[in-house]
Amino acid sequence: MNYTNGYRDPGIAGQLADRIRRISRRKVRLMEVCGTHTVSIFRSGIRSLLPDTVTLISGPGCPVCVTDQRDMDAFIALAGFDDVIVATFGDLMRVPGTHSSLLKERAKGSDIRIVYSPLDAITIATENPYKRVVFPGVGFETTAPTIAATLNLARDRGIHNFFVYSAHKLVPPALTALMALPEIHLDGFMLPGHVSVIIGAGAYRPFVARHSIPAVIAGFEPTDILLAIAMLVEQIESGASHLENAYSRVVSEAGNPKALALLADVFEVNHAAWRGLGVIADSGLKLRKSYEAFDAEQAFDLVIPESFDPAGCACGDILTGRKLPSGCPLFGKICTPEHPVGPCMVSTEGTCAAYYRYDNDSGAF
């Protein structure tokens, strides 16, 4: 029996859905911050099980989607150096920059290779000592420790032709930024399980205490998500507002100490630009001075053209819950997974891609 089967049990899911319908009286808007949650909600048909009083809003949880346009343009500019190999995860390839994409630059002759791990980039650097290998670092606290471990390895092995452009993001500051948007009303947050494994439940407590808003850490199986929704609705209906952990089988209060130590050794917190949210104080990670020899921003004289978001694209509004994908005039017409205009349609965890693929599949669970 698969370990996850119990978390996909239709009987348990039905009981949780009954519990939500039984207790829910107020109309509430709950944001799932994580793109993996967004996709799991669609795949499981969870919306079809919820009462009309509960609305789920997708937030800025897709790492590719929240990467600022200037950072995308920087990745593309790096690929233009004759002696550079860009080693990247595949989902960045098709994200449109202001004037091009990594996919288009590869078609023109740039050496851009898809890797499945940052360690693959180290291998490429070792095999190509006369080339400079750059890894675009995107993602949240979930992926940043693997980049930190890779930089540790590069330093220990004396590899001098490997570089990282760090565009990593931190989740808790983004939650604060969302609360500051006056046009968005949210009644609770479903917090990302995998980020929480790294940073621990305790990382959210200052945010929840400051804003007095219900928040529940959730796993990614259907019953995990339904349990988190039930806990959020129960808090709201009872007038409570605190942090709960519905993913305690893997998320501890303190997080993963080894991963946090790696992050602290390699990175320091700095301001970061987010698509849709602008610059958020202390929401990003840059390489510490002790690792600046690996910092692509320090090693290259980058000339980045003025950056613009794609004309007509509503990704920024969709990432913050201001709009649904159907509110974008390009959605499903000009912008499709085959021909994406904005990043939310590119990534498998992007809100637009999820709505495009699954919006008609409610009830599939």
Side-chain angles (χ1 to χ4, degrees):
M1 180 178 176
N2 190 303
Y3 173 73
T4 59
N5 283 354
Y7 300 100
R8 300 173 181 174
D9 185 288
I12 297 173
Q15 292 174 23
L16 288 166
D18 287 343
R19 177 172 154 189
I20 295 168
R21 288 191 291 266
R22 189 169 59 251
I23 60 178
S24 179
R25 296 183 295 276
R26 292 177 45 191
K27 283 188 174 292
V28 296
R29 287 164 50 91
L30 309 177
M31 175 174 278
E32 84 269 4
V33 179
C34 176
T36 311
H37 278 149
T38 299
V39 173
S40 184
I41 286 166
F42 272 116
R43 281 180 173 169
S44 304
I46 283 176
R47 280 186 172 82
S48 69
L49 301 176
L50 300 177
D52 293 340
T53 47
V54 178
T55 299
L56 300 181
I57 307 293
S58 300
C62 161
V64 168
C65 304
V66 299
T67 298
D68 188 64
Q69 191 75 345
R70 188 177 186 281
D71 290 328
M72 278 307 310
D73 288 337
F75 303 155
I76 293 165
L78 285 163
F81 286 83
D82 290 338
D83 65 337
V84 163
I85 300 172
V86 172
T88 178
F89 293 140
D91 51 0
L92 273 181
M93 291 292 289
R94 298 172 67 231
V95 176
T98 300
H99 301 291
S100 186
S101 68
L102 291 174
L103 189 65
K104 289 178 181 176
E105 293 306 305
R106 187 170 72 172
K108 292 177 185 175
S110 293
D111 195 343
I112 302 171
R113 307 183 189 184
I114 295 175
V115 295
Y116 297 97
S117 159
L119 290 175
D120 294 340
I122 289 285
T123 301
I124 293 171
T126 304
E127 294 173 348
N128 297 271
Y130 300 109
K131 292 277 192 175
R132 295 185 289 178
V133 177
V134 180
F135 184 84
V138 301
F140 301 104
E141 295 94 330
T142 322
T143 52
T146 65
I147 312 299
T150 303
L151 286 164
N152 260 200
L153 185 66
R155 181 194 59 188
D156 293 346
R157 290 184 179 177
I159 297 173
H160 301 297
N161 63 329
F162 173 69
F163 305 89
V164 170
Y165 184 107
S166 180
H168 292 100
K169 306 286 193 295
L170 302 174
V171 168
L175 301 177
T176 298
L178 285 166
M179 293 299 291
L181 297 177
E183 67 272 40
I184 301 174
H185 173 75
L186 297 172
D187 298 289
F189 284 101
M190 187 189 307
L191 299 173
H194 39 27
V195 166
S196 305
V197 168
I198 303 297
I199 66 176
Y204 302 108
R205 296 199 183 280
F207 163 76
V208 173
R210 178 181 176 187
H211 296 282
S212 297
I213 187 165
V216 176
I217 298 168
F220 301 99
E221 298 299 334
T223 57
D224 288 323
I225 293 170
L226 284 165
L227 175 61
I229 294 171
M231 293 166 78
L232 283 168
V233 172
E234 284 170 349
Q235 281 197 49
I236 294 165
E237 293 293 346
S238 66
S241 56
H242 52 263
L243 175 70
E244 293 184 282
N245 183 2
Y247 202 30
S248 59
R249 65 182 184 274
V250 291
V251 175
S252 66
E253 179 69 15
N256 183 321
K258 289 186 177 179
L260 292 172
L262 268 174
L263 289 177
D265 177 51
V266 174
F267 294 109
E268 62 184 53
V269 173
N270 71 331
H271 304 335
W274 295 57
R275 190 184 301 272
L277 287 166
V279 175
I280 304 175
D282 298 333
S283 69
L285 295 173
K286 72 173 185 179
L287 271 63
R288 289 191 180 278
K289 191 170 181 58
S290 54
Y291 283 85
E292 69 178 3
F294 300 97
D295 190 340
E297 289 190 85
Q298 300 288 333
F300 291 83
D301 291 325
L302 278 176
V303 178
I304 304 171
E306 188 174 2
S307 298
F308 301 98
D309 288 333
C313 174
C315 268
D317 288 336
I318 292 164
L319 287 167
T320 52
R322 295 183 180 101
K323 287 184 178 178
L324 293 175
S326 56
C328 176
L330 308 184
F331 177 74
K333 302 179 181 76
I334 297 172
C335 184
T336 65
E338 291 75 25
H339 302 285
V341 175
C344 296
M345 189 60 92
V346 176
S347 171
T348 55
E349 293 191 349
T351 302
C352 293
Y355 271 75
Y356 187 90
R357 288 188 170 93
Y358 301 114
D359 195 22
N360 293 325
D361 290 346
S362 60
F365 181 74

